[in-house]
């Protein structure tokens, strides 16, 4: 299409999640060959599930392969994004090295995603604690845990990766694990690829077939574990999972505390080969009574007071603030990186406080011209590769831009009818899905006034591809 474009990146290099997160044991829960772009395949992955460092190196090689260096501005934040009704342009204010500059663009694309602002848990007294506080997405490279009493808050994806790694690589005096709810942690079945296998996968079309095989397996799993979770397969795996926990964890009380009491898949399913066995380490202690507050020396729970040298917050991300622009009156519509948007315009407000978030397939937004997002609301997954979803969204954006050129217009936005029809369908489907409010309370529902899992796509990846690959022009309005 021969378009001029600029990429604005807050970090010092590319990588996104894999740049900002470098905690011990970080890795991906999607197979390496599937967690990669279809247009830039890599045959020589070292492991079936890649670790963070290798994924970032892959992304950097992709970046250099397509010579994107001249189109990107690193170490730059967006502090203001304003749609000018008169010029029909997005006016962007950028901050770099303490200096601000302004630039205008025809189309604004947010690729910030939803998982980049740390959630510190909202515990009372966090500011009082005098020891070392660490969030998993801000892990210091020189952090030494040898001989320390460590508190680990959380039982999600980062927690189950960090815990086995730090008990293995540090001589921790005592580790206190603060758990609110148990998670489903299934076997990772990790293995390393041999040179012979990598050489075979480098031969076309074997690597492509292998990649699609991993995709199909996960789509089939979706049908039986998520879509038709009441058929019995889900319950059968839950029972096997509980038996496995009791087999691997020696302490009976700890084992019982690790058995989830909700429908599998309602919350994120985790994978690890080391987590449950790491709970047998002499330094491990579990406190799942509930955190009351933090004080100067550590954490106070309903059952005990813990003096801690280091507190690790494996408490995830703040989805609410990432998508704050969608839920407040007259707030401008962009959630780039880390910044506050403060454009007020009553003629272009998206939602009133307390209303549902509304999008068209998580990409396009009502009453917001020439703005799209990658990995916006309603596009998160629990079963397959988010890279596939990104490629679908990029293709959808390209198709709409082509329509804009064909119509010889300057602006586009989805019709209100198209947005309303999709959101009504989404509500019906999410309410009857495994992610329904009746099945559990999860971070997927964070910030939604109706406690719906507004971050998730309710169907298969194949359905998303079908919907976004052939977009009817009638779902959009084009104007000058």
């Amino acid at each position: 299409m021969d378009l001029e474009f600029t990429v604005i990146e807050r970090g010092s290099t590319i990588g996104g999640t894999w740049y900002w997160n470098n905690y011990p044991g970080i890795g991906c829960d999607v197979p390496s060959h599937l967690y990669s772009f279809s247009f830039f395949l890599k045959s020589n992955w070292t492991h079936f599930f890649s670790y963070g460092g290798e994924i970032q190196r892959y992304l950097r090689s992709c970046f250099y392969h397509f010579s994107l260096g001249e189109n990107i501005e690193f170490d730059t934040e967006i502090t203001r994004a304003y749609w000018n009704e008169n010029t029909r342009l997005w006016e962007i204010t950028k901050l770099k090295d303490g200096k601000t500059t302004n630039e205008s663009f025809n189309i604004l694309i947010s690729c910030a995603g939803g998982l980049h602002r740390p959630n510190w848990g909202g515990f009372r007294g966090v500011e009082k604690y005098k020891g070392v506080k660490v969030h998993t997405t801000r892990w210091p490279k020189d952090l030494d845990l040898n001989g320390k009493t460590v508190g680990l808050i959380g039982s999600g994806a980062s927690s189950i990766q960090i815990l086995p790694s730090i008990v293995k690589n540090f001589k921790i005096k005592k580790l206190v694990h603060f758990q609110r709810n148990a998670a489903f942690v299934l076997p990772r079945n990790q293995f390393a690829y041999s040179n012979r296998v990598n050489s075979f996968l480098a031969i076309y079309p074997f690597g492509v077939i292998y990649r699609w095989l991993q995709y199909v397996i996960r789509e089939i799993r979706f049908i039986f574990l998520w879509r038709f979770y009441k058929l019995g397969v889900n319950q059968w795996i839950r029972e096997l999972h509980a038996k496995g926990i009791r087999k691997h964890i020696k302490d009976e009380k700890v084992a019982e505390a690790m058995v989830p009491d909700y429908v599998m898949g309602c919350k994120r399913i985790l994978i690890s080969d080391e987590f449950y066995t790491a709970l047998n380490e002499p330094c491990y202690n579990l406190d799942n009574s509930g955190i009351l507050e933090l004080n100067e020396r550590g954490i106070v729970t309903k059952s005990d007071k813990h003096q801690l040298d280091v507190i690790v917050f494996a408490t995830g991300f703040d989805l609410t603030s990432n998508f704050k622009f969608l839920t407040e009156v007259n707030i401008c519509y962009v959630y780039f990186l880390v910044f506050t948007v403060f454009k007020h315009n009553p003629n272009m407000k998206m939602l009133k406080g307390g209303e549902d978030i509304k999008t068209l397939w998580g990409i396009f937004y009502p009453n917001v011209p020439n703005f799209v997002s990658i990995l916006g609301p309603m596009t998160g997954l629990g079963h397959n590769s988010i890279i596939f979803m990104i490629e679908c969204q990029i293709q959808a954006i390209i198709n709409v831009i082509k329509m804009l050129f064909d119509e010889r217009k300057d602006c586009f936005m989805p019709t209100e009818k198209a947005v309303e029809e999709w959101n009504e369908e989404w509500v019906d489907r999410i309410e009857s899905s495994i992610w329904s409010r009746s099945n559990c309370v999860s971070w997927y529902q964070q910030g939604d006034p109706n406690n719906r899992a507004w971050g998730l796509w309710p169907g298969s990846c194949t359905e998303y591809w079908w919907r976004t690959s052939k977009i009817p022009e009638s779902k959009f309005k084009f104007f000058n």
Side-chain angles (χ1 to χ4, degrees), residues 25 47-49 51 160-161 164-165 185-192 248 270-280:
H47 290 80
F48 185 66
F49 294 102
Y51 296 101
I160 64 106
Q161 292 180 342
S165 181
V185 184
L186 302 184
R188 188 183 188 88
N189 296 321
Q190 175 72 300
F191 63 87
H248 286 96
L270 311 177
I271 56 173
S272 174
D273 293 329
E274 303 91 12
F275 176 67
Y276 289 133
T277 54
L279 306 189
N280 295 320

Side-chain angles (χ1 to χ4, degrees), residues 86-87 101 103 116-117 123 158 319-320 338 352 366-367 369 399 401 414 417 453 462 466:
N86 297 320
T87 62
T101 57
E103 193 170 356
H116 57 90
R117 297 192 184 191
F123 302 110
S158 56
L319 272 179
T320 306
V338 175
K352 296 180 180 179
N367 304 317
N399 292 344
I401 293 176
K417 179 182 178 181
T462 304
W466 179 256

Side-chain angles (χ1 to χ4, degrees), residues 150-154 159 162-163 166 175-179 312-314:
V150 180
L152 175 62
I153 305 176
S159 176
I162 283 178
L163 194 151
I166 61 175
L175 174 66
V176 184
H177 183 199
F178 300 92
Q179 173 182 279
V312 177
F313 289 79

